[in-house]
Every structure is written in C-alpha cells, then in structure tokens.
Amino acid sequence: MKEKPAIGVFGAGWVGLVTGACFAELGYDVVVRDVIPERIEQLRDGRVPLHEPGLGELLEQNRERLAFTTELDEIVSRPILFVCVGTPPTYSGDADLSAVWTVVDQLPALQERAILVMKSTVPVGTGEKVRAALDARGLAHVGYVSNPEFLAEGSAVRDFMNPDRVVVGAFAEADSEVVAGLYEPLEASVVRADVASAEMIKLAANAFLMTRISFINEIANVCEATGADVEQVAKGVGLDHRLGPHFLRAGIGWGGSCFPKDGVALKQLASNSGYHFQLLSAVIEVNDLQKRRVIGKLEKHLGKLRGKKVALLGLAFKPNTDDLREAPSLVLASRLLAEGAEVRAWDPVADASRLLQGVTFCGSVLDAVSGADAAVIVTEWDELQGLASEEVRGAMRNALIVDGRNLLDPEHARAAGFVYEGIGRAASPLEALPETEEREPQLEA
Ligand code: UGA
C-alpha cells in the first residue's frame, strides 16, 4: 500500500478546518496551523470555533491524526501544504491576497520537495505570480497546484467527502498526480487543468450559481406582477435535464462569505483586464435589490413602518451555519431601523449582537414575534416550519408573515389565520389583514 503523505494546512478557518478534518478522516496525518493563538488553544481543547454539522465529530474522532499549531516549523517540513487562508475583498473589490502572500513569503528555504496547494479562492493569475515568486527565491523544487474548494457551509463535510468533482490545476504533471492521488479514497471525478483554468473554474462556478439565483428571483418578481407561482415555475423549469433543479429557490437573495466576495472579485478581475462583465454586474445588482423587496412587502400591508414591531426570524445567511457574513438579515435589519421600525430578532445559533445595534435579540421564536406587527422569515431554519401556528398568531399584534424563503405552505398559513406574503407567489389581498383590538387601522386609503 502507498504511504500517505503528511499534510499541513495553513489556516484554521472554515475551509482549513473542514479540509484538515476530512483528510485526517481519510487516514492522513494532518497539522493545521493558524496565527490566532486563541483559536489553536480552543481546537487543542476540543472546542470547535464554528458551527458546521459533522465537523466537531470528525475533529474528535481523528484526534490522533490531527494536530494544531501556531508554529511555522511544525508545518513546513510536510510534503503537502494546503493554503486555506482568507481572501476577503479590499475596498476596490479585488481579493485581498495578503494572507496568501504571507504564507508564500514565510516559507523557509525548504530542502525537500514539497507542493503548495492553493484552496483559498484567488484571482486568475495568482498561481502564475506565486510560481514566479517561488522560483525567484530558489524554491523551484516546490510545486504549486490550484485545488479550489467547492464546499457549501452547512454541508461542507458531506461536500468534501462526496465531491461532484475535484479540480487540480498544475504546472507540472507530477504535482497534479500527487494532489489528485490525495483524493483517491473518495473515488471522485478529477478535472485536470492548467493553473489559470482551475482558478477560473472556481470563480465561474460560483458566478453561475449566483446567476441562477438572481435569475429565479427576477422570475419570481415577474410572477408576482403577473399572477404565476415561482415554486411551480421552478419545478417545471428544473425538470429539464439541461437545466436541473438546483439553485432555483427564489428568496431574498444570497449572502455569505463566498458569493458576495467572489462575485465582486470576478467582476473586478474582468474589469482590471479591460472587460466589462455586464451579466455578472446585473446578477449582483438584482441580488442587492432583492433583499430590500421585503420592506415594500411590509409597507404594502402595514403602511409606514415607523413604530411598527418587526420580528426577523433567522439571521445566519443560510441554515445550519452561524455565519453572518453578508447575511441579508443585516441589510434588512438596518433598513427597518432606518424606517423607524422596532426590530426583534431570533436565530438558533448566529449571534449578531455585536453587528446590529438597536435590535432586540430574543431567545425564542415566540418571544421574537410577541406583539409584532409582522414576522419575516429570513433564514429557512427547520424550527420555523411550524411558524403558522395558533400560538404564534395569538402572540402577534398583526398576523402578517413575510416568508423570505418560501418555507411555508401559503394555503396552510392563510387557513391558520395569517396574512401571507412569499416571494413570487400570489399575495394575500390587502384587506385580508385581520383587525385586532390593539391595531389601529394602518392601511392608507
Ligand atoms: C457557495 C457554493 O455553493 C460552494 O460551492 C462554494 O464552495 C462556496 O460558496 C465557496 O466559494 O466557498 P455557500 O456560500 O456556503 O457555498 O452556500 P450556498 O448553499 O451556495 O448558499 C449561498 C447563498 O445562496 C445563501 O444565502 C442561500 O440562501 C442562497 N441560495 C442558494 C438561494 O437564495 N437560492 C438557492 O436556490 C440556493
């Protein structure tokens, strides 16, 4: 049997931890290095610093093959070095590669052959620049491979273990062989490419997914204007084998640590190269506007929002994660506060208290909706499936639900006495909002 090469991972963030834990699960000896001592302490104590289903179990199960360190020396002797550091946007929208360059610049004068494997999402052309920098430092024997990640938060462990494909972009055939070989136990399809193309595959895949979402969101908006139902439309469209059913869920738009950043980074990359990527610009703009449509839906039923109590249900950018980066909830909360509304918020795991001033955070859905003029489903957490209940209706001042993720069955919600507004679905008529004793008439004539 082939001996498994030892792996080093730069970055104990979300990608680095999932990558490290999954390779350990596949039997590799892994050390994960991060520059934040508290994070490494936490990991050594067996505490997982982020919410990702299955990750805690994997870290626990593979303790004997997984080490965590802040020390460079403990990682650089390994023949495979994954780079999983953050590449956040700069003010210009370009990816900030400073953490990537720190890794490259800090590599000592390695004697042994090693391969630097880039998992961080980087602009096309980065591999070429890193290659030149390594060569200039006398590290021509250190290989470079682009091996982008396609992990979605909330299902990252499953995505790693069951990949649709593994992309390996290399300058040298031998390096490509070695990195593809690491994934052999997964029996995945491997796409071999040149480095620039591998970098582009990652950006293009994310851009395509964003395009599908903005497309279905615009179809939803046209459905609302014309009386069609986007859920039925998406089903009928998605059954075409050339189109497929995925990423056709209409809603209040995407957020997260990837799409917003990678969309702008690709748009910027194109424009830096002299090309105006019009479609992508529109895709991004549609998403920005989509988040705000909720305000219009609330105003339609409640009139001016000043003084109205609005419950935001779900704050994370998607379920099964505590990630709040670029979450639509943040935009919504800020818009509502700017309109003078009182915002009560609930999420089962995400803590937005440091990001949102002036919002009341509640420990339960019932607490969040009590006395509320409207409940907005922002994230489709399972806990919200039963929202259209008698208890919730009784607790609210106005039984209005704006379902930003089309989580509920509109007929059921209406039968339960709620006024229901989804995305791209037939809306309740205005006069349907039941009068309650406490409610003053709020609809403008
Ligand atoms: C995304 C990609 O799906 C991964 O393949 C990629 O590796 C990752 O970015 C990355 O670049 O690291 P992620 O952002 O974690 O993963 O989550 P998604 O499931 O893609 O959801 C992104 C956003 O799109 C969420 O806000 C979600 O609510 C929204 N979405 C998704 C929709 O509004 N409609 C859909 O049909 C699907």
Side-chain angles (χ1 to χ4, degrees), residues 149-151 153 202 206 247 249 254-255 258 317-318:
E149 54 86 11
F150 300 99
L151 313 172
E153 289 188 32
K202 165 68 190 191
N206 270 3
F247 278 69
R249 287 194 330 269
W254 76 71
C258 305
F317 83 96
K318 61 185 272 192

Side-chain angles (χ1 to χ4, degrees), residues 113-117 131 134 139-145 171 175:
R113 183 163 165 62
I115 304 176
L116 204 57
V117 191
R131 178 69 274 158
L134 292 171
L139 293 173
H141 59 290
V142 174
Y144 181 93
V145 168
F171 294 107
D175 295 338

Side-chain angles (χ1 to χ4, degrees), residues 15 62 70 94 96 167-168 186 247 267 273 315 356 360 397 402 427 442:
V15 174
N62 293 289
T70 52
D94 297 287
D96 177 356
V167 173
V168 180
L186 298 177
F247 278 69
K267 181 181 149 178
S273 321
L315 298 170
L356 292 172
T360 306
R397 194 148 73 117
V402 176
Q442 279 143 0

Side-chain angles (χ1 to χ4, degrees), residues 294-361:
V294 168
I295 304 293
K297 286 175 189 284
L298 290 169
E299 282 175 344
K300 179 174 135 192
H301 291 279
L302 300 175
K304 292 268 170 272
L305 296 179
R306 175 155 297 281
K308 303 283 156 52
K309 251 190 214 181
V310 179
L312 291 186
L313 304 178
L315 298 170
F317 83 96
K318 61 185 272 192
N320 297 322
T321 177
D322 58 353
D323 201 336
L324 284 159
R325 285 175 285 179
E326 303 288 332
S329 62
L330 303 179
V331 173
L332 260 177
S334 309
R335 282 290 303 118
L336 286 167
L337 291 172
E339 292 297 327
E342 193 185 314
V343 180
R344 300 172 67 78
W346 167 87
D347 191 282
V349 292
D351 175 7
S353 55
R354 277 186 302 155
L355 298 173
L356 292 172
Q357 308 294 319
V359 168
T360 306
F361 294 95

